[in-house]
Amino acid sequence: MDNNNSSPIEQSTLFEKVSNSTVLKLFIIFFLSLILLIPLSLISDLIEERKNREQEVSGGIALNWGKDQVISSPVLAIPYRETIPLSAEKAEKSNLREELKWIFVLPKTSNIATDITPQHLSRGIYNAVVYNSNITLEGSFDKISLEKLEVPHEQIDWKSSKLIFGIQDFKGLGKRPSLNWDGNELTFEPDFNNLNLFTQNLVCPVPLDPQKTDNRFKIKLNLKGSKSLNFLPLGDQTNIQAKGNWANPSFTGAFLPSKRNTEASNFSASWEIPSFSRKLPQQWTGDARPIFQFDNNNLENANEGNEQKAAQTVPATVVSANNLLDNTDMITINFLPDINNYQKTTRVAKYGILVIILTFTSLLFTEVIKKKRIHIIQYILIGAAMVLFYTLLLALSEHIGFNLAYLTASVATVLLIGSFIKSITKDQKSALLLSSILGLFYLFIYILMQLRDYSLIAGTIGIFIILAILMRVSTKINWYQFDNSHVDQ
């Protein structure tokens, strides 16, 4: 009888010991933290979805306004007739045919000056960076060396010479570009079929005197575009001068500016580029084939592989697919948005699991020190509030900007969790302490966001200090008190 009466008490005592075990609670909290990785992953997917949506809208704005623009130095094209036998067996006149070929000549000097006016263009809650630009290109062509090209003088049609000028998107043209060729005012026309050296080509017939040693040109155009303005230097010596009213331009591409100046909301930059690393010869003969291919998806990675491509040897008068110019040969001015909300929100979300684990650890320490039980359901609700912080941050940042959104979301989350802790523990000091700790965590993450280059070392040192504090506090706690006594409910 005595054994039967004592059995329920022993079982109850064993259950209480298991339920009140700090080690078991620690494992439950660890498992809960892993479960919260699922909604954090879903929030990361939501951020990526909104980011992709912004890119789609930005692409739509660019499609209507003007895409990333590429301005090339002009190319002089001179046609000639080449006689080719139909077969190697007979060389009679009846067995010969003529083909139209071209002599292509790059400028001796090419000076580009541009004044850029970027601005934000909005559609709904999204916006894109677009710009207007006034561009002037001037320079000269040297006398053509027919001896190197091995083209008979009588086969050349000097009267049909053309000047080819390439841009990336005709939609960005405000008006027809003007050309001054040796004092003559001429007009460009688009060419989509014959002389397709660039993505989109403007062609103008020019009077060319084979005896003249210096043919000068000057091109003026107004051009609209978005995100970036790019220059393709083709001259034997190319000089670029760019200025505009934008606070944070990014200069990338094949060459960095020799001089740059960024003050307040204005910038200026200049480049001096010789032809030593150019993949094209100064003049060549052959068919009118593309010499440039632009990929705006890989614009940010344009510097990769520059050294390898620059090391390729180029024959003096031959252009092939190996000489095709691309993003790595351009000078690029990127007009970055003032604040990339989605990029910053993504970086904050990466610290989500860290904030959750540190907050749960602080709650566990409070639970042990204050001898106030916090139920696992209440841990789940607190975890849900911290996960919701990132959704709130994402939603607010689309309307009021990242900094104000971060402040609003963090204050709202700290107040919500702090008031919940006060309701649980009935202790205002504990609630204030945990609210202060959580607020410091959010402040710590925000500071890491601002440090950029130093975020890794600052984050590592900060976490090391937090761990040291937790280790110090843990030595002051009797971790067996839950196993040896009842805790106030």
Side-chain angles (χ1 to χ4, degrees):
M1 293 291 293
D2 292 338
N3 292 334
N4 293 335
N5 291 335
S6 62
S7 178
I9 297 174
E10 291 176 358
Q11 292 176 2
S12 177
T13 303
L14 180 62
F15 177 77
E16 287 181 358
K17 286 184 177 181
V18 173
S19 300
N20 293 332
S21 172
T22 306
V23 176
L24 178 62
K25 192 66 168 286
L26 189 61
F27 274 106
I28 293 175
I29 291 173
F30 176 73
F31 179 74
L32 177 59
S33 300
L34 294 180
I35 293 298
L36 290 175
L37 283 174
I38 298 175
L40 283 176
S41 176
L42 295 176
I43 289 174
S44 296
D45 292 340
L46 177 62
I47 296 172
E48 189 66 24
E49 178 185 338
R50 302 295 287 182
K51 180 180 178 181
N52 292 336
R53 174 58 181 163
E54 182 198 38
Q55 291 176 347
E56 289 178 5
V57 175
S58 178
I61 294 173
L63 188 63
N64 296 330
W65 180 271
K67 301 178 182 178
D68 302 74
Q69 295 288 6
V70 181
I71 309 300
S72 73
S73 300
V75 179
L76 185 60
I78 308 164
Y80 71 95
R81 296 287 176 178
E82 185 176 55
T83 303
I84 301 176
L86 294 176
S87 64
E89 300 174 355
K90 298 181 180 181
E92 290 91 355
K93 188 175 182 180
S94 60
N95 196 41
L96 300 177
R97 66 182 176 90
E98 287 187 344
E99 285 190 357
L100 179 65
K101 301 289 184 177
W102 295 87
I103 300 171
F104 296 103
V105 184
L106 298 182
K108 179 182 179 181
T109 60
S110 180
N111 302 313
I112 304 174
T114 178
D115 190 354
I116 313 164
T117 309
Q119 64 186 62
H120 288 285
L121 199 62
S122 300
R123 181 177 295 173
I125 63 172
Y126 304 105
N127 64 74
V129 179
V130 300
Y131 59 83
N132 287 284
S133 62
N134 295 313
I135 302 172
T136 301
L137 298 91
E138 57 183 334
S140 63
F141 288 90
D142 206 353
K143 185 178 180 180
I144 301 170
S145 177
L146 298 179
E147 295 77 11
K148 293 182 179 179
L149 296 174
E150 298 180 353
V151 178
H153 188 279
E154 62 274 8
Q155 294 182 358
I156 301 176
D157 184 7
W158 298 99
K159 295 181 180 180
S160 300
S161 301
K162 301 178 185 299
L163 189 70
I164 308 169
F165 173 58
I167 63 173
Q168 188 63 25
D169 187 7
F170 281 163
K171 190 172 290 184
L173 288 173
K175 59 182 180 180
R176 189 182 299 271
S178 64
L179 169 64
N180 184 294
W181 179 266
D182 284 334
N184 300 312
E185 296 295 333
L186 305 174
T187 303
F188 279 108
E189 295 291 342
D191 188 308
F192 300 100
N193 300 315
N194 299 321
L195 296 168
N196 55 343
L197 301 185
F198 306 99
T199 305
Q200 293 187 335
N201 303 269
L202 292 169
V203 177
C204 179
V206 292
L208 191 61
D209 185 356
Q211 302 302 323
K212 192 171 183 180
T213 59
D214 187 38
N215 296 278
R216 304 197 63 81
F217 66 89
K218 185 174 183 179
I219 302 171
K220 289 187 176 182
L221 69 155
N222 302 110
L223 191 64
K224 298 187 298 182
S226 60
K227 297 180 182 178
S228 69
L229 179 60
N230 308 272
F231 302 97
L232 188 63
L234 298 180
D236 189 47
Q237 176 66 41
T238 302
N239 302 312
I240 302 174
Q241 301 281 340
K243 63 178 181 178
N245 59 340
W246 196 251
N248 55 337
S250 172
F251 306 107
T252 59
F255 301 91
L256 295 179
S258 54
K259 297 180 181 179
R260 72 175 75 184
N261 184 27
T262 303
E263 295 181 355
S265 59
N266 297 299
F267 77 91
S268 62
S270 61
W271 292 259
E272 296 178 355
I273 308 166
S275 63
F276 300 130
S277 60
R278 188 183 63 194
K279 292 186 288 187
L280 293 174
Q282 187 65 23
Q283 55 186 19
W284 71 93
T285 60
D287 297 321
R289 65 178 64 191
I291 62 173
F292 173 71
Q293 183 177 13
F294 175 71
D295 184 3
N296 58 0
N297 293 322
N298 295 323
L299 191 57
E300 295 179 357
N301 302 321
N303 288 322
E304 296 181 2
N306 271 3
E307 295 181 0
Q308 179 180 356
K309 293 186 177 182
Q312 296 176 351
T313 58
V314 181
T317 60
V318 177
V319 170
S320 65
N322 293 331
N323 311 128
L324 190 67
L325 305 175
D326 54 27
N327 295 29
T328 62
D329 300 289
M330 299 188 312
I331 304 299
T332 298
I333 306 175
N334 286 304
F335 301 103
L336 305 176
D338 298 330
I339 298 177
N340 192 323
N341 293 326
Y342 297 105
Q343 183 180 4
K344 288 194 172 185
T345 305
T346 300
R347 291 178 60 190
V348 171
K350 291 180 179 179
Y351 294 99
I353 189 62
L354 175 64
V355 175
I356 289 174
I357 291 176
L358 292 176
T359 304
F360 281 172
T361 303
S362 302
L363 283 172
L364 181 61
F365 277 33
T366 302
E367 187 176 341
V368 174
I369 294 172
K370 296 296 183 179
K371 300 180 182 180
K372 296 289 184 179
R373 291 286 291 172
I374 300 177
H375 197 273
I376 193 63
I377 298 298
Q378 293 165 332
Y379 273 93
I380 294 175
L381 293 174
I382 292 172
M386 288 188 290
V387 169
L388 187 62
F389 161 80
Y390 301 99
T391 307
L392 187 60
L393 173 62
L394 174 63
L396 290 175
S397 65
E398 292 183 335
H399 296 274
I400 62 176
F402 178 83
N403 292 337
L404 186 56
Y406 191 94
L407 176 63
T408 304
S410 57
V411 169
T413 304
V414 169
L415 290 177
L416 176 62
I417 294 177
S419 60
F420 188 53
I421 295 298
K422 181 181 178 182
S423 300
I424 295 171
T425 62
K426 311 299 182 184
D427 184 1
Q428 186 173 357
K429 290 184 178 180
S430 298
L432 289 175
L433 177 61
L434 283 170
S435 297
S436 300
I437 292 174
L438 184 58
L440 285 175
F441 289 159
Y442 285 133
L443 178 62
F444 174 60
I445 300 301
Y446 183 79
I447 292 175
L448 290 183
M449 297 294 299
Q450 309 305 313
L451 293 177
R452 295 185 180 180
D453 295 339
Y454 300 97
S455 61
L456 178 59
I457 186 171
T460 304
I461 293 173
I463 295 173
F464 184 86
I465 293 174
I466 292 172
L467 180 60
I469 293 173
L470 292 176
M471 293 173 67
R472 179 65 177 172
V473 173
S474 68
T475 62
K476 307 295 183 181
I477 298 175
N478 178 14
W479 291 98
Y480 298 101
Q481 60 182 317
F482 280 170
D483 301 324
N484 298 331
S485 62
H486 293 287
V487 180
D488 296 338
Q489 301 296 326

